[in-house]
Amino acid sequence: MKADLETLKTIPIASPQIGDEEKSAVMAVLDSGQLAQGPVVETFEREFAAWCGVKRAVAVNSGTAALHLLMLAHGIGEGDEVITSPFTFVASANAALFAGARPVFVDIEPQTYCLDPALVEAAITPKTKAIMPIDLYGHPAAIHELQEIATRHGLVLIEDACQAHGAAIGNRKAGALGVSASFSFYPTKNMTTAEGGMVTTDDDAVAEKVTVLRQHGATQRYRHEVLGYNFRLTDIAAAIGRAQLAKLDRLNERRRRNASVLDEGLAGLKGVTTPRERQGYRHVYHQYTVRIARDRDRFQERLLDAGIGTAVHYPIPVHRQPLYIDLGYGDVSLPVAEDAAAQVLSLPVHPALSDADLDRIVETVRKVASTA
Ligand SMILES: *Cc1c(COP(=O)(O)O)cnc(C)c1O
């Protein structure tokens, strides 16, 4: 009877790992009386920079704010173009819009779902200022190939690492692969601060600009040199972040192990393509995203009926969003991204899955695939 009830419980697609460490760290901040940006944010920044392998880390209150300030810190503005992927969360491209620039979408690689370096050069114009790849699902984009193109054309490479805490190419971590990068600490990400974000960079000037812009353009107290924002992180959030960072490597190992169990269980299954980890790259499986050859939405419904929570990242590529159609992107055609949007399905891979959960996911996916 108990086992029956257990199997009725839906396995969620995400499960933030909050324990006693996070709770007591938050209570300590609440007791300290210093709640907004203060010493805990500073410590979190130092620890994150050291962990990531970069010179500087600057905390902000979302991944979106990190991308927005990176655009401004790199001098991207009105009339500029930013080459990026259409297959991402809308925040990536919106960051260019916030700065008054125009995102130019280039199609993705079908295997990694990241920006395809082979297609980038044809999209470069005299207005292009930056290339912004996204390390989608926790797999680094082909940053070395993209950096080579950026260098050749005098462009800056900004890495959207919002889904890739702990991913790597060789022994360089995501966030340290381009000139500068953004992270998000939204609850579904590999580590969280509830809401929060981080800019990482080896460029002191970029770090200084982001630091000023997140605080109303203040270079000292009540002296405002430029138009800035209130994008500060709180010490409450940073306290959660420090506790999460201390567990991140272990949580990522768990995700990788879960992914390998799913890989093995789903290997050779007709109509279901498992994710790929490029050689020399480290995938941290923010999402474990498979491709369903036929009728993805029905497949998803049947999984949910059997108690497997899934999600589609993302059902509408950015250039097909109503906002972007209004902005004049209606004629843009990017077939690889459009096919992916129709076929991808993310299965649970989060660190809280038990061996029984993994077995159930594999069994159910196999059953649904065999009767599709
Ligand atoms: C989550 C995410 C963002 C935005 O981060 P927020 O913290 O939600 O603002 C940007 N880009 C990508 C690829 C993301 O996954």
Side-chain angles (χ1 to χ4, degrees):
M1 190 63 205
K2 186 167 176 295
D4 279 353
L5 283 176
E6 214 87 281
T7 55
L8 288 175
K9 248 184 18 193
T10 295
I11 300 173
I13 180 69
S15 171
Q17 297 300 292
I18 300 295
D20 291 339
E21 303 82 358
E22 285 81 0
K23 289 175 194 168
S24 58
V26 166
M27 292 312 269
V29 172
L30 293 177
D31 286 339
S32 77
Q34 193 159 356
L35 308 183
Q37 184 184 295
V40 187
V41 166
E42 228 181 284
T43 308
F44 181 38
E45 289 173 336
R46 267 202 313 276
E47 290 172 348
F48 197 87
W51 171 83
C52 193
V54 293
K55 219 165 138 191
R56 304 284 297 271
V58 184
V60 289
N61 59 6
S62 72
T64 304
L67 285 167
H68 180 175
L69 294 190
L70 273 175
M71 292 288 147
L72 301 179
H74 283 288
I76 293 160
E78 210 68 51
D80 296 337
E81 292 177 354
V82 176
I83 291 176
T84 191
S85 164
F87 198 57
T88 178
F89 183 54
V90 72
S92 314
N94 282 359
L97 295 181
F98 297 152
R102 188 167 174 85
V104 171
F105 298 110
V106 166
D107 217 341
I108 56 170
E109 302 173 317
Q111 296 86 10
T112 65
Y113 306 100
C114 295
L115 191 61
D116 188 342
L119 304 175
V120 164
E121 216 144 12
I124 295 175
T125 75
K127 294 178 174 175
T128 309
K129 282 283 159 61
I131 302 175
M132 179 175 60
I134 291 101
D135 301 330
L136 201 76
Y137 304 147
H139 187 288
I143 306 273
H144 295 324
E145 290 83 344
L146 292 165
Q147 182 63 66
E148 196 267 319
I149 296 167
T151 305
R152 193 142 32 84
H153 291 269
L155 310 174
V156 63
L157 189 140
I158 297 171
E159 184 190 359
D160 181 343
C162 283
Q163 303 190 353
H165 323 65
I169 303 178
N171 54 17
R172 290 286 285 174
K173 279 197 178 115
L177 296 169
V179 170
S180 53
S182 66
F183 285 93
S184 163
F185 304 128
Y186 186 74
T188 58
K189 305 289 161 95
N190 290 28
M191 65 171 280
T192 186
T193 63
E195 295 276 9
M198 192 75 85
V199 165
T200 53
T201 184
D202 282 331
D203 185 329
D204 285 319
V206 168
E208 292 309 324
K209 282 182 187 152
V210 170
T211 303
V212 167
L213 288 168
R214 76 170 164 187
Q215 175 117 287
H216 279 297
T219 47
Q220 26 177 302
R221 190 161 215 157
Y222 301 129
R223 181 184 165 84
H224 305 277
E225 309 244 354
V226 292
L227 181 65
Y229 303 84
N230 174 1
F231 286 164
R232 293 183 301 263
L233 190 71
T234 66
D235 266 17
I236 300 169
I240 302 173
R242 291 189 63 208
Q244 290 271 293
L245 185 61
K247 327 176 162 168
L248 179 57
D249 290 339
R250 185 166 55 75
L251 295 178
N252 278 341
E253 276 314 316
R254 190 77 202 175
R255 284 178 185 271
R256 286 178 56 79
R257 194 203 73 108
N258 292 348
S260 75
V261 172
L262 294 173
D263 279 346
E264 225 169 275
L266 302 177
L269 187 57
K270 208 164 156 271
V272 178
T273 310
T274 53
R276 156 148 176 229
E277 182 180 52
R278 180 167 286 153
Q279 188 163 19
Y281 284 50
R282 177 183 157 85
H283 196 327
V284 288
Y285 297 96
H286 167 56
Q287 300 297 346
Y288 183 92
T289 303
V290 299
R291 204 185 257 273
I292 306 295
R294 285 194 18 245
D295 207 351
R296 186 265 325 273
D297 292 351
R298 176 81 190 113
F299 203 107
Q300 181 179 31
E301 259 172 44
R302 292 184 61 199
L303 286 180
L304 186 61
D305 288 346
I308 313 293
T310 61
V312 174
H313 306 101
Y314 294 86
I316 307 174
V318 180
H319 66 288
R320 293 282 201 231
Q321 293 289 347
L323 164 68
Y324 282 80
I325 301 284
D326 284 351
L327 291 172
Y329 288 83
D331 293 336
V332 176
S333 160
L334 298 161
V336 184
E338 288 155 26
D339 282 354
Q343 296 188 326
V344 291
L345 186 64
S346 302
L347 307 176
V349 73
H350 58 76
L353 295 175
S354 66
D355 288 347
D357 290 336
L358 288 164
D359 285 348
R360 212 175 117 203
I361 294 165
V362 166
E363 258 173 52
T364 312
V365 171
R366 294 199 77 95
K367 196 161 117 201
V368 170
S370 69
T371 55

